[in-house]
Amino acid sequence: MGAPDVQAPPLKAYPVIPILQADAMAGSRPYVAAEKLNEAIGFPGKLVDGWQAKAVAKLGELRDRYRSLRVFLDACVHCGACTDKCHFFLGTGDPKNMPVARQELVRKVYRRYFTFAGKHFPKLVGAEDLTESVLEDWYRYFNQCSECRRCSVYCPYGIDTAEITMAAKEVMDSIGMGQKYTNEIIGKVHKIGNNLGLPGPALLDTLQTLEEEVKEETGQDVRFPLDEPGAEVLVVTPSADFFAEPHVFSLIGYAKVFHAAGIRWTLSSHASEAGNFGLFIGNYDQTRRIAMRVREAALELGVKRVVVGECGHAWRVAYSFWNTLIGPFDFLDARHPVPQHVCELTYDLIRRGAITLERERNDRRVVTFHDSCNVARASGMGGIPRGQFILPRAIVRAACTRFHDMAPETIHENTFCCGGGGGLLTDELVELRVKGALPRMEALKAVVDEHGVNFMATICAICKAQFAKVLPYYKFDMGMVGGVHQLVGDAIVLGRND
Amino acid sequence: MSIEVGGKTLETDEEGYLVNLADWTEDVANVIAQAENVEMSENHWEVVNFLRDYYNEYQIAPAVRVLTKAIGKKLGPDKGNSKYLYELFPYGPAKQACKIAGLPKPTGCV
Ligand code: SF4
Ligand code: SF4
């Protein structure tokens, strides 16, 4: 398999609701996880006998456990406000990618088995049995939702399709219909410590290489410490930051910030991953177990602060769920946010004059900022309203001279997903990913044409990998995407620590 | 899934990565490369061999900066960057070169 032959949709000057193309994406189907991948993380290996009854029972269990899910299943009035808000619908035209239609895939089954009318007059109320073909639709179309929650912003009842998607994935995992990409990765986190499967010695070798490289570039002894007890700060960041470009430029940026500010920090080989794919598959136990590694590492190393690197969904899990999942954090220094985002740390240092950025060093760049879904719609920063929008932009503006936001309906809480979130960042879904990126690419094109933007900064490893892959399909350079701390790393003044 | 090399059938995963690392030979690499539309030059082999050596030591493919540094040392500083690696392996040096080298695909947010 070389580059798959995928045609990117043409970029339009403004978003147009696509002409409906029934079943346009019916062929989009990620690989099902092999038996041993599912079993390694405690799921049935393959489709179980009596799966239908078991799936229905599981759905009932989730409805009882999560009040929100029940409300979301009951409350929709089919007003249609969400229909054209999903990037996957806008990019593919497949009506099943309208958020309300996606929800209906679960709702019609829910009605059939859990409502009076659905039990007795299924046809009248659009209730349906969970047949094999319905299950197939679930597998295909819940793997065409990046759990970005954009639709929920426009729904008068705040119905969150992402939560229905997570529930559907949880049901499918429980009957042996797990998805390969997510479940293989979760297995690696438990076995090796990170999504990539980067063992401790390889991580150490990688960090030493980075120390040498930065020394060559800057002449400074910028450190990339691993497992150093007594450090003040533990950084947990996506393992992609160790491995890939452009991610690694941000890791270099964090290291330079710590160096310039004189803060002792460390990475951990035990918690060498910020990402938490347990969230993507809607599984509480997995989410908790994956998060727990961070608590264990923080205690073992005796740090005073935990800082989360550039990873969108990790920040959602940390900001919104860590305290209940793995708290209390009474052993950390309460004078700093617990947990702290690396943007909060850097923003604070800039404001206090503890680090100096020379914006002119980024003069070749004209920058825009892509808000990542999980940061934008499911977290906060800096303890101020809308801080998650303000802080990253303030850092970018401090690090470069020319900055232009994309259109307002495509940023902040209205941001369009990169098209790769929620566990879809896998090669067999490239067609979906390219098409799902369309609304973001249109907004980017507008600022490229108008302002000459040549760099899109973001604070999420998935966004970076997804854009690096899909930008060329839209005739943009893959190097246009990078991290906020990539800009910081290029602008920061080192070796003048007074 | 599987591929045929020299009359032998070798098992691969859904995406064409070898299942058994020990099945790999240079012939196998050539067959995979051909399917990927990559014509193996001496420089391609430098990368592939480095990947295999690194994997043998660390059970993972090298991070991009480790790879570019090593390749820069071997082939000259102008080649020690990811742009050059993309010229050799257009579908991404990590994934495509790993496939040809008979190594598992790097997973995660890459
Ligand atoms: S959560 Fe995002 S991807 Fe899923 S249906 Fe809503 S808008 Fe589409
Ligand atoms: S906007 Fe909300 S209530 Fe209206 S159709 Fe969509 S999910 Fe239902």
Side-chain angles (χ1 to χ4, degrees), chain A residues 72 75-83 85 98-101 103-104 107 151-152 154-161 164:
Chain A
F72 294 157
C76 175
V77 295
H78 295 91
C79 70
C82 61
T83 50
K85 302 303 185 289
M98 295 175 173
V100 59
Q103 298 163 20
E104 278 302 301
R107 198 173 279 125
C151 48
S152 74
Y154 299 87
C155 172
Y157 298 93
I159 294 173
D160 181 1
T161 315
I164 295 175

Side-chain angles (χ1 to χ4, degrees), chain A residues 86-88 99 102 145-151 161-162:
Chain A
C86 175
H87 52 290
F88 285 125
R102 200 185 311 285
C145 169
S146 55
E147 303 171 356
C148 78
R149 310 175 84 224
R150 185 171 195 267
C151 48
T161 315

